[in-house]
Amino acid sequence: MRVTHFADVLLPLPLPALFTYRVPYELDDAVAFGKRVIVPFGRSKLYSALVVRVHENAPQVTAKYILDVVDDRPVISERQFQLWQWMADYYLCTLGEVMAAALPSALKLASETKIHLHPNFSGDVSTLNPNELHIAEALTYKEIMTVDEISKAVNIQKVIPIIKSLVDKRVVVTDEEVRNPYKAKKETYVRLGDEYASEASFMALLDQLNLSTRTAGQADGLLAFIMLTKGAKGYDFSARVPKSQVVCSSALTPARLQTLLKKGFLKTEEVIMSRLTDFSSRETADNIQLSEPQQKAFQQIHEQFGQFPVVLLHGVTGSGKTEIYIKLIDEVLKQGKQVLYLLPEIALTSQIVNRLRKYFGEKVGVYHSRFNEYERVEIWNRVLEQDSDIANTSKYQLILGARSALLLPYQNLGLIIVDEEHDASYKQQDPAPRYHARDCAIVLGNMHKAKTLLGTATPSLESYYNVKQNKYGLVELMRRFAQSKLPDIWVVNMIEARKQRQVQGVFSDFLIERIGEALDKKEQVILFQNRRGYAVRMICNTCQTMPTCKYCDVTLTYHKKSRLLKCHYCGYAIDVPQVCPTCHSTDIEMKGFGTEKVEDTLAEIFPQASIARMDLDTTRSKNGYQQIISDFEQHKTDILVGTQMVTKGLDFDRVSVVGILNADALISFPDFRSFERAFQLLAQVSGRAGRKEVPGKVVIQSYQPEHPALKYVETNDFMAMYRSQIAERKEYHYPPVTRLVKITLKHPDEKVVTAAAQALAIPLREAFPGMVLGPEAPLVSRIQNYYLEDFWVKFPKDNKLEQHKKTLWQITEDFKLNKPFKSVRVVINVDA
């Protein structure tokens, strides 16, 4: 008698359970763990679900049949799924939410997914089978169709595998790709015309042009071009030169270049470029010569790894931590294992990847949210295909990425590096899973029996507390690399400066003088202001009205370039009113300042300086970060103005002055971590100065110059900051001494959310007496038309933590079944 098999499958939906489907006999051999299968769900929808388990236990209800198998081999690894399970349990979310966050959108086809012909599809259908051709033809009549609509149009029920094949062949794209179409990065190159691409023909052309005074200038232009091709072996008459480099030659004016192109002496061609780096400059990690302090730290890391699976590398800014990382990576790659290198911001990847590519070439893969779905799936597959026994250079062994890179299907990790481990960007806030990438990396490392290195100049209190609890090893690197020294730091008292009229716009005269000195010496400047936009708010001086967001309880920020007042929470925007909307007075004024105003004011004070701005508004495009950083590295930019993006590990050798324009906004924020984060941000941005032979100066502008956080930054005294803050956390029972779980209730009706909060407070206080704070409306009490109420639950770090979290989960699940509050959203944020 033939055995009937069933499969437990996982859907990318926020549902608490797996679903069991019956396996048709003809698919018995094809259905296996980690493969995607097509399943009907609900009345009419189809989804690609992941097989988690195949068994023979029939469910109590009649099981629907699996319709088809999408994959020939698993798309996830078993240890990857173990991490998903841990994340769901620890962060109190569903497994489906973890799956939805982990899988690239191209691997999550569903019946409502919209399909569109690929914008670069040439129309060549010779490689398509009849079913694929049928779908392609349907999409020529209707531009966008859902999977359901395609299924009905072509009368094929099992249509998702066919669509997957069309996606692989780059004939169609899904809706996500339509919103963010991939465009290859291209650069224009110039080379000699085909007839003149040899020494003999080129020299003959020069002789001909030099016969006439009218064409002698063209000969000069060609000579200037060929000089650009000179290498170690002489001139290369077939070489291509970037047009950006050609136009910099004084002998090749734009008019002369156009003449040479028109006559065919030179020609241009578009070349698709790598977004990462030029592969030609290859070196080995053996070429890196560590300084004595670096070598000592490198040896200590090995010693500490012998005792602890996790080691904290506490190295001051500019101490050369990256060189140590490269040495460690090299050792692990030679063992045929994989390395994960996590960074907090996409902005950092473009700079670090160039350094790593120089040593590890094609072994380096980059993964973050700015990649389109094709690139993400390609990297996903290359990581999954990694052979655990043999180092294969065609596969990605070293993955560099932001938070989401943690969720790739690693097969054989040997080392995880979490750079700038203190950074708050490692914590996912919305949507679920609200995980912390640093903590998940440590768990992932344990699953692979890999070592985890946490690197930073300003350790988080959590990590340093674990060192003190003897859970992590510690290695310190307190000297900067080579001869560079920590920068001199001045705190400018802005109250006194204003009294003495030593302020221009948002700058103290002291800071302006330091900027001027740097520009005179052809050095560079970084200015930090942690607010984007031009002005923080608009206010009517007659009635004190301030325009606020229609959907959030916040004032609108003025953006001068777009002439709009914008909400930074939901994106709502209005035109700038000419009169007060309440009293119609014309006496309206812009208050506060953001990066846009800083850039504007700088242009007035230093009109000759080249100024760039790096914030969310200027880096929305995929390569926005890379272009700004590249220009600054190449000294095309004199002054870089930015938000906290400029604080995170960027390495520039000509930066001599760093200005922090409004330190008070950091140290006065109403959050128990504000002191720690202010110290970290100020210390990190200060560390951008004086990293090479150029001495560094840091100017901090503040109305609270005696604040302890500023004093600790001035003296670079992390330990004093740690001792003061850990004493405070112990006294008031905050992390890292306890675990903190935040519960947020959301509803469009303020009365409903208030009543719901009062109702939820009762079972919470009964289950956790003395541990519950709230309910309390947060600082911004309405976001995107949802009113908010917060609870904070403090759990002691003991063996009851897991049980406490299970109880909390059950209370919130029972609360959701409460009829009056079924429409209230409950958001749980563990380690908030």
Side-chain angles (χ1 to χ4, degrees):
M1 183 177 175
R2 193 161 186 180
V3 176
T4 300
H5 288 100
F6 297 88
D8 295 338
V9 304
L10 177 61
L11 292 161
L13 301 171
L15 300 170
L18 299 175
F19 293 87
T20 303
Y21 286 82
R22 185 170 176 175
V23 181
Y25 290 135
E26 65 270 21
L27 296 181
D28 267 351
D29 294 334
V31 174
F33 168 83
K35 290 185 179 182
R36 287 174 300 155
V37 292
I38 307 304
V39 295
F41 189 77
R43 290 188 178 180
S44 58
K45 290 184 178 179
L46 299 177
Y47 281 95
S48 56
L50 275 173
V51 176
V52 172
R53 188 169 74 99
V54 180
H55 54 86
E56 298 172 14
N57 307 321
Q60 294 180 344
V61 295
T62 304
K64 295 180 180 179
Y65 278 93
I66 288 173
L67 301 180
D68 206 350
V69 179
V70 179
D71 304 300
D72 297 327
R73 59 184 177 181
V75 296
I76 65 168
S77 68
E78 291 193 14
R79 276 182 285 203
Q80 180 186 25
F81 185 68
Q82 288 173 21
L83 178 68
W84 291 7
Q85 288 177 307
W86 179 87
M87 289 172 67
D89 291 341
Y90 184 84
Y91 292 104
L92 299 180
C93 62
T94 66
L95 204 49
E97 287 171 317
V98 181
M99 173 188 172
L103 282 182
S105 56
L107 298 180
K108 292 182 293 188
L109 290 171
S111 55
E112 65 268 31
T113 299
K114 293 184 177 68
I115 308 297
H116 187 283
L117 279 177
H118 194 294
N120 295 333
F121 175 51
S122 64
D124 180 11
V125 295
S126 59
T127 61
L128 306 185
N129 64 38
N131 287 337
E132 292 169 345
L133 182 60
H134 202 171
I135 291 172
E137 287 175 346
L139 286 166
T140 60
Y141 294 107
K142 188 175 180 182
E143 188 177 341
I144 297 176
M145 298 177 75
T146 66
V147 174
D148 251 359
E149 289 170 339
I150 290 173
S151 180
K152 291 170 185 173
V154 299
N155 197 26
I156 301 171
Q157 187 181 17
K158 299 178 182 180
V159 76
I160 289 182
I162 306 171
I163 292 172
K164 174 184 176 289
S165 175
L166 288 169
V167 168
D168 292 341
K169 292 177 180 178
R170 300 177 72 80
V171 175
V172 301
V173 289
T174 62
D175 52 353
E176 291 84 4
E177 183 65 9
V178 172
R179 288 197 298 270
N180 183 24
Y182 172 71
K183 291 181 181 177
K185 177 186 175 184
K186 294 182 179 179
E187 186 168 341
T188 303
Y189 276 75
V190 180
R191 65 182 181 87
L192 288 171
D194 294 335
E195 296 176 50
Y196 314 107
S198 67
E199 184 175 1
S201 56
F202 177 76
M203 296 307 293
L205 175 62
L206 286 186
D207 291 342
Q208 181 185 336
L209 293 173
N210 279 318
L211 291 174
S212 167
T213 53
R214 283 197 321 163
T215 56
Q218 296 171 26
D220 292 342
L222 286 170
L223 275 172
F225 173 80
I226 209 65
M227 290 294 291
L228 296 174
T229 72
K230 188 174 182 180
K233 297 181 179 178
Y235 301 105
D236 185 352
F237 294 89
S238 61
R240 297 180 305 196
V241 180
K243 188 177 178 182
S244 57
Q245 189 178 341
V246 171
V247 296
C248 291
S249 172
S250 58
L252 269 168
T253 61
R256 186 172 286 171
L257 177 61
Q258 285 304 314
T259 301
L260 294 172
L261 290 169
K262 190 174 180 181
K263 292 193 172 184
F265 301 154
L266 295 177
K267 64 185 295 186
T268 61
E269 54 187 44
E270 295 266 293
V271 178
I272 295 176
M273 304 295 294
S274 165
R275 281 179 158 75
L276 302 173
T277 188
D278 182 1
F279 289 56
S280 60
S281 56
R282 293 287 299 276
E283 296 181 24
T284 67
D286 297 332
N287 294 340
I288 295 176
Q289 297 297 315
L290 299 181
S291 67
E292 188 179 332
Q294 284 177 314
Q295 186 62 41
K296 184 179 178 183
F298 179 69
Q299 290 167 351
Q300 287 177 340
I301 289 169
H302 280 292
E303 291 167 9
Q304 291 290 296
F305 275 150
Q307 302 174 54
F308 302 97
V310 182
V311 172
L312 174 65
L313 174 58
H314 180 196
V316 296
T317 54
S319 57
K321 294 186 289 293
T322 305
E323 283 78 12
I324 295 174
Y325 297 157
I326 291 170
K327 287 283 192 181
L328 291 167
I329 290 167
D330 187 51
E331 289 180 348
V332 174
L333 295 191
K334 284 176 178 175
Q335 296 168 20
K337 294 184 176 181
Q338 293 171 305
V339 176
L340 169 60
Y341 190 134
L342 285 178
L343 292 158
E345 286 276 0
I346 299 168
L348 285 174
T349 58
S350 60
Q351 200 178 44
I352 297 293
V353 74
N354 289 330
R355 296 177 72 176
L356 295 179
R357 282 271 185 188
K358 187 166 71 172
Y359 297 104
F360 305 114
E362 296 173 354
K363 294 178 181 178
V364 181
V366 185
Y367 191 84
H368 54 63
S369 59
R370 290 290 174 96
F371 282 2
N372 64 47
E373 62 174 312
Y374 289 121
E375 293 167 312
R376 289 205 213 178
V377 172
E378 180 186 341
I379 295 168
W380 183 282
N381 289 333
R382 289 198 186 189
V383 173
L384 186 65
E385 290 167 8
Q386 172 66 35
D387 190 316
S388 60
D389 300 316
I390 303 168
N392 189 333
T393 54
S394 67
K395 311 294 188 292
Y396 287 151
Q397 282 183 271
L398 170 57
I399 294 295
L400 182 78
R403 195 171 56 221
S404 57
L406 177 85
L407 301 172
L408 288 166
Y410 300 101
Q411 297 289 316
N412 188 25
L413 273 174
L415 175 67
I416 299 175
I417 295 169
V418 184
D419 201 8
E420 311 295 343
E421 66 83 23
H422 67 277
D423 201 288
S425 301
Y426 280 125
K427 182 72 164 79
Q428 162 86 359
Q429 298 297 339
D430 275 306
R434 295 170 180 83
Y435 65 100
H436 199 297
R438 177 196 63 216
D439 300 339
C440 292
I442 291 168
V443 173
L444 180 64
N446 286 336
M447 288 176 175
H448 284 263
K449 294 184 172 53
K451 302 299 183 184
T452 304
L453 182 66
L454 311 178
T456 179
T458 53
S460 63
L461 260 66
E462 283 83 358
S463 294
Y464 211 84
Y465 184 76
N466 281 328
V467 168
K468 292 298 184 182
Q469 297 296 305
N470 212 34
K471 293 181 179 177
Y472 298 172
L474 174 67
V475 175
E476 294 182 311
L477 185 57
M478 293 294 121
R479 278 171 54 190
R480 278 193 154 186
F481 184 71
Q483 303 302 313
S484 61
K485 297 178 181 178
L486 286 168
D488 296 324
I489 298 177
W490 291 279
V491 178
V492 176
N493 186 334
M494 291 299 285
I495 296 175
E496 290 299 318
R498 287 200 179 278
K499 281 181 183 177
Q500 296 170 22
R501 299 190 177 182
Q502 295 175 350
V503 177
Q504 294 184 50
V506 299
F507 300 100
S508 64
D509 286 352
F510 184 82
L511 177 55
I512 290 172
E513 287 171 15
R514 302 290 83 73
I515 295 172
E517 289 169 2
L519 296 178
D520 289 343
K521 295 176 184 176
K522 305 298 182 186
E523 294 166 355
Q524 292 173 296
V525 177
I526 290 178
L527 297 176
F528 169 62
Q529 166 60 6
N530 210 25
R531 271 189 180 276
R532 60 191 173 98
Y534 189 86
V536 176
R537 60 192 174 277
M538 189 187 93
I539 187 168
C540 171
N541 290 324
T542 303
C543 69
Q544 303 302 303
T545 293
M546 291 183 286
T548 57
C549 177
K550 184 178 179 181
Y551 306 107
C552 310
D553 283 341
V554 291
T555 55
L556 298 175
T557 301
Y558 174 48
H559 288 250
K560 186 178 180 182
K561 187 175 181 181
S562 57
R563 295 287 300 164
L564 292 172
L565 292 172
K566 291 183 181 180
C567 172
H568 289 174
Y569 282 84
C570 71
Y572 171 76
I574 60 172
D575 291 327
V576 179
Q578 299 303 309
V579 296
C580 172
T582 303
C583 70
H584 305 293
S585 167
T586 56
D587 187 12
I588 53 178
E589 188 180 355
M590 298 297 176
K591 295 281 190 180
F593 66 96
T595 49
E596 205 176 351
K597 185 173 183 179
V598 174
E599 183 184 26
D600 228 32
T601 309
L602 273 174
E604 294 174 9
I605 300 172
F606 301 105
Q608 303 304 318
S610 171
I611 304 164
R613 174 164 53 95
M614 187 162 76
D615 56 26
L616 190 62
D617 297 322
T618 61
T619 57
R620 291 186 188 277
S621 65
K622 179 175 175 180
N623 294 305
Y625 291 108
Q626 191 169 335
Q627 189 59 54
I628 293 167
I629 290 170
S630 176
D631 287 348
F632 199 66
E633 277 182 318
Q634 296 169 29
H635 305 164
K636 294 178 183 177
T637 306
D638 300 314
I639 305 174
L640 179 62
V641 179
T643 55
Q644 60 181 345
M645 294 176 185
V646 302
T647 70
K648 301 181 179 183
L650 297 171
D651 187 9
F652 304 113
D653 57 5
R654 295 292 298 171
V655 174
S656 64
V657 173
V658 165
I660 297 161
L661 303 182
N662 184 13
D664 306 288
L666 302 172
I667 56 185
S668 303
F669 195 76
D671 183 282
F672 75 92
R673 288 193 176 96
S674 63
F675 191 106
E676 175 192 3
R677 287 188 175 157
F679 172 83
Q680 289 165 344
L681 266 173
L682 294 171
Q684 287 286 339
V685 74
S686 299
R688 301 314 107 208
R691 294 176 71 89
K692 296 291 166 61
E693 69 276 3
V694 179
K697 303 178 183 70
V698 178
V699 179
I700 302 175
Q701 298 186 163
S702 173
Y703 290 88
Q704 305 173 68
E706 298 303 316
H707 195 284
L710 300 183
K711 294 298 180 186
Y712 294 145
V713 172
E714 272 189 281
T715 56
N716 194 38
D717 196 344
F718 168 79
M719 283 309 301
M721 187 279 295
Y722 173 80
R723 284 191 293 268
S724 74
Q725 284 301 291
I726 210 70
E728 193 175 291
R729 303 278 181 94
K730 284 178 179 177
E731 182 177 354
Y732 296 106
H733 305 287
Y734 276 105
V737 182
T738 60
R739 291 280 185 205
L740 193 64
V741 179
K742 180 183 177 184
I743 304 167
T744 301
L745 304 185
K746 299 183 175 185
H747 196 273
D749 189 322
E750 187 176 11
K751 291 179 180 178
V752 172
V753 80
T754 301
Q758 296 300 329
L760 181 59
I762 297 169
L764 283 177
R765 291 200 179 103
E766 286 176 355
F768 311 113
M771 301 183 193
V772 181
L773 299 177
E776 184 71 38
L779 193 64
V780 180
S781 59
R782 183 172 62 110
I783 296 177
Q784 296 181 1
N785 235 15
Y786 279 88
Y787 289 91
L788 312 177
E789 288 280 346
D790 288 342
F791 291 90
W792 299 84
V793 187
K794 297 177 182 178
F795 294 135
K797 284 187 172 179
D798 56 25
N799 54 10
K800 294 182 181 178
L801 178 62
E802 193 173 334
Q803 184 57 49
H804 283 327
K805 286 163 70 176
K806 285 180 180 176
T807 303
L808 177 60
W809 175 262
Q810 194 58 55
I811 289 171
T812 56
E813 289 300 298
D814 292 344
F815 173 78
K816 291 174 187 176
L817 300 175
N818 203 335
K819 273 191 177 179
F821 308 124
K822 273 191 171 181
S823 57
V824 177
R825 285 186 59 200
V826 180
V827 174
I828 300 176
N829 192 345
V830 177
D831 295 341

